[in-house]
Amino acid sequence: MRLDIKVVDKDGRIFDIEMQTSPSKYLGHRLRYYQSTIDGAKVLKPGHDYSELPDTFIILLCSFDPSEAFSRVDNRAVHFFKTIDTKDHALELNGGATKVIINSKGDFTGESEELKELAKLMNNEEVSLNEHFIWVQKRIKELNQDRRSDIMDYEMKIMDARISGREDGEKVGEKRGKEIGEKIGKEAERRAGIKRLIIAMMEISTDDRIIFNAAKKQYGEYFSDGELKQFIAEAKNDSLQEA
């Protein structure tokens, strides 16, 4: 897996900055996955122990309200999460890991001008606070002109496709009777999942053989070669119509 932006400061602290554009109730799990990736990336040198693990900050930039992933709705723009005692919220377990979620659509009352400008940048609004934000916005526009510059990696795309497909299938199944709903739900899950997988692969490669092989590997036991090719053709047609 590849992190979007990884920074190590002079004190050895690690900052991982990730951009999230699709709502999901699994944001907490996603953050947990990022943390495991950082901790498992040979952070410690040979001969050192876990007491020397550096402090980490995972910052998730959300261009939507992330409340679906919370225990309740909260419209604040900035959220800090650490490990605390559920019976005494003032008691914190010192593990050195901090997760930050920034909601660009949230309430920025009392927040800094820099954070407010960051929200504008995330919401594709014109920025003007300083030369750094102006440069970043210009660079983003340049990168967006070339789809090959997409920084989301293959592994996370596949995970997102599977999760989204499963959720779509579950929603269909819930509307029907238990026995019929389970059957239809599984079928809908597979169809939604393969469509999302194909779309994700199209952003990585335009080679039909590569896309077909990936689709066959994941869903070959459920769909024939002809059906898989039809899914690919439909996805490409939809992409051309959107363009």
Side-chain angles (χ1 to χ4, degrees):
M1 178 189 164
R2 186 171 57 198
L3 303 176
D4 283 359
I5 299 177
K6 180 182 177 182
V7 178
V8 181
D9 70 5
K10 61 182 179 60
D11 297 319
R13 298 181 302 176
I14 297 176
F15 296 82
D16 169 30
I17 304 173
E18 303 286 341
M19 186 72 190
Q20 178 79 11
T21 59
S22 301
S24 172
K25 64 182 179 181
Y26 296 106
L27 287 185
H29 294 75
R30 192 181 186 105
L31 286 167
R32 183 173 159 191
Y33 184 69
Y34 287 139
Q35 186 69 58
S36 69
T37 300
I38 294 172
D39 290 341
K42 298 182 180 178
V43 173
L44 289 178
K45 303 296 182 182
H48 294 252
D49 58 52
Y50 59 79
S51 67
E52 298 173 89
L53 279 170
D55 289 348
T56 60
F57 297 82
I58 302 176
I59 304 171
L60 196 61
L61 305 179
C62 298
S63 57
F64 57 88
D65 180 3
S67 290
E68 184 181 3
F70 298 164
S71 58
R72 61 179 174 80
V73 174
D74 192 316
N75 192 45
R76 288 177 298 158
V78 184
H79 304 272
F80 287 83
F81 295 97
K82 287 178 173 282
T83 305
I84 62 171
D85 188 329
T86 57
K87 293 185 178 181
D88 180 0
H89 292 181
L91 181 60
E92 180 183 332
L93 181 63
N94 296 321
T98 302
K99 281 87 172 176
V100 183
I101 296 180
I102 297 179
N103 171 17
S104 70
K105 302 294 194 300
D107 182 5
F108 279 83
T109 301
E111 299 295 346
S112 68
E113 292 303 314
E114 285 79 7
L115 269 177
K116 293 176 182 178
E117 194 79 346
L118 175 62
K120 288 183 180 181
L121 187 66
M122 293 166 63
N123 295 332
N124 292 321
E125 301 173 15
E126 205 65 32
V127 298
S128 59
L129 183 64
N130 59 46
E131 60 182 295
H132 304 296
F133 282 105
I134 294 173
W135 180 87
V136 170
Q137 187 164 69
K138 179 181 178 182
R139 184 61 179 144
I140 289 174
K141 289 178 180 179
E142 292 173 351
L143 290 174
N144 283 340
Q145 292 175 359
D146 185 355
R147 294 185 66 183
R148 290 174 299 177
S149 65
D150 184 4
I151 59 175
M152 284 198 67
D153 62 284
Y154 170 86
E155 183 179 0
M156 189 59 74
K157 281 179 178 289
I158 298 301
M159 287 187 178
D160 285 347
R162 286 176 176 171
I163 291 172
S164 296
R166 185 175 69 242
E167 290 178 340
D168 288 347
E170 289 172 350
K171 289 177 181 178
V172 172
E174 289 172 358
K175 294 179 181 180
R176 311 222 190 291
K178 182 176 180 180
E179 182 177 350
I180 297 177
E182 288 179 354
K183 181 178 180 180
I184 295 178
K186 290 180 180 178
E187 179 68 13
E189 174 187 336
R190 294 182 189 120
R191 288 181 175 274
I194 192 171
K195 288 179 180 178
R196 295 179 188 278
L197 170 61
I198 291 171
I199 292 172
M201 289 299 303
M202 286 170 57
E203 294 187 19
I204 298 173
S205 173
T206 58
D207 190 329
D208 284 355
R209 292 173 300 175
I210 294 177
I211 298 173
F212 174 79
N213 289 337
K216 186 175 179 65
K217 182 178 180 180
Q218 297 294 328
Y219 294 95
E221 64 179 296
Y222 304 112
F223 300 103
S224 67
D225 288 1
E227 289 175 317
L228 294 176
K229 292 178 180 177
Q230 182 62 32
F231 282 129
I232 295 172
E234 290 174 356
K236 289 200 168 186
N237 183 56
D238 290 342
S239 178
L240 289 174
Q241 291 180 355
E242 291 177 359

